[in-house]
Amino acid sequence: MYFDTPVLVIYIVVLVIVFLAMAIRILREYERGVVFTLGRFTGVKGPGLIILVPFIQQMVRVDLRTIVLDVPTQDVISHDNVSVHVNAVVYFRVIDPQKSIIQVEDFYTATSQLAQTTLRSVLGGHELDEMLAERERLNFDIQEILDKQTDAWGIKISNVEIKHIDLDESMVRAIAKQAEAERERRAKVINAKGEVEASENILEAAKKLSQNDLAIQLRYLQTMSDISNDKTNTLVFPFPADFRKFFKAD
């Protein structure tokens, strides 16, 4: 078969362009390429310009940036048998591209499913009050469990945050009643403590007044002044404080 020289040159140029297009890969700074040669793992390359042998080598791109995983709302029954709806967010990234491709089929889906089951398992072992008051500790517990289990996949769990804990309306009303009862209890305790402190102060004042007749006289005059300022029909008969000695028991 006869080809003109210009046509042959064009074919060669096209083949070279196709070959280069299949052989050259450019990876960004946050990307790595897991390279397989005839199906066998041969290394991790990147970032920058990567040259592959077409049809012999294949490359799988792996993103090393932090991934934000929104865990869907989960139905959780607490340790004290309260049904709640909980959702969370998980931050993770790939630290070993080789493991993330070879050891697990889809690391994103696997991490998502594991986060859902771990969230239900950890929160189900705590009471409702602990879920509401100790979120930071629960976040750490969930993160630690996930980090250990995803380590074999080359995944690093950097943070876990519980976003919402939703309760049924009946449970919300019950908690409100409990909080109101607690506030009333504290108010009564504070009032009782105030009565005790007031009685102690009155007793101490009475002891000091009884030791000095002049102090009693001044207190008597102050009481008279307070009564006179009050707009009532009260009648007061002054009684000299010196007469007290006539009524003292021998």
Side-chain angles (χ1 to χ4, degrees):
M1 189 176 202
Y2 178 73
F3 293 98
D4 292 337
T5 301
V7 176
L8 182 61
V9 172
I10 294 175
Y11 278 134
I12 294 175
V13 171
V14 171
L15 289 174
V16 171
I17 293 175
V18 172
F19 179 84
L20 292 177
M22 297 176 62
I24 295 177
R25 297 288 187 275
I26 297 178
L27 298 178
R28 297 181 177 88
E29 183 65 32
Y30 56 82
E31 292 180 324
R32 298 295 182 271
V34 180
V35 179
F36 296 90
T37 303
L38 296 177
R40 295 180 63 86
F41 169 76
T42 54
V44 178
K45 296 184 178 181
L49 182 64
I50 305 298
I51 304 297
L52 301 176
V53 180
F55 307 109
I56 302 298
Q57 291 182 319
Q58 293 82 34
M59 184 188 72
V60 180
R61 293 176 182 263
V62 179
D63 196 323
L64 301 184
R65 293 177 294 181
T66 298
I67 299 174
V68 181
L69 173 63
D70 190 5
V71 181
T73 301
Q74 303 294 307
D75 294 329
V76 179
I77 299 179
S78 65
H79 189 66
D80 51 349
N81 295 322
V82 178
S83 179
V84 295
H85 307 287
V86 183
N87 64 345
V89 60
V90 178
Y91 299 86
F92 71 95
R93 63 186 180 89
V94 177
I95 59 175
D96 191 334
Q98 175 186 350
K99 291 182 179 180
S100 68
I101 298 300
I102 296 177
Q103 299 298 330
V104 62
E105 180 182 4
D106 184 348
F107 66 84
Y108 185 89
T109 302
T111 304
S112 176
Q113 295 297 320
L114 183 61
Q116 295 177 40
T117 56
T118 303
L119 182 66
R120 291 195 300 267
S121 176
V122 172
L123 296 185
H126 295 79
E127 296 184 354
L128 178 61
D129 292 342
E130 293 177 334
M131 293 185 194
L132 299 176
E134 301 182 8
R135 286 195 184 186
E136 186 174 350
R137 181 172 66 86
L138 295 176
N139 290 337
F140 179 77
D141 292 343
I142 296 172
Q143 175 188 347
E144 189 176 21
I145 294 173
L146 287 176
D147 196 33
K148 288 181 180 179
Q149 297 188 7
T150 58
D151 183 64
W153 305 337
I155 304 298
K156 174 63 178 178
I157 307 296
S158 57
N159 193 19
V160 175
E161 291 291 340
I162 298 174
K163 293 196 298 183
H164 299 292
I165 298 179
D166 298 327
L167 303 173
D168 294 333
E169 293 184 2
S170 60
M171 183 55 62
V172 173
R173 290 194 295 268
I175 293 176
K177 290 181 180 179
Q178 180 183 4
E180 183 179 358
E182 178 65 20
R183 288 193 295 269
E184 290 181 358
R185 184 190 68 84
R186 293 180 181 178
K188 291 180 179 179
V189 170
I190 293 174
N191 186 47
K193 289 182 178 179
E195 293 290 343
V196 172
E197 292 179 0
S199 63
E200 292 176 351
N201 292 334
I202 291 174
L203 178 61
E204 183 67 23
K207 290 180 179 179
K208 290 183 178 180
L209 288 173
S210 63
Q211 295 174 0
N212 192 324
D213 292 339
L214 181 60
I216 295 177
Q217 183 70 23
L218 291 175
R219 182 58 182 168
Y220 176 72
L221 294 176
Q222 180 63 42
T223 303
M224 295 284 292
S225 176
D226 294 339
I227 295 174
S228 65
N229 292 330
D230 192 8
K231 297 179 180 180
T232 63
N233 295 325
T234 305
L235 296 178
V236 179
F237 297 96
F239 180 79
D242 294 339
F243 286 2
R244 287 191 312 130
K245 59 185 178 180
F246 297 108
F247 299 97
K248 289 184 180 180
D250 294 335

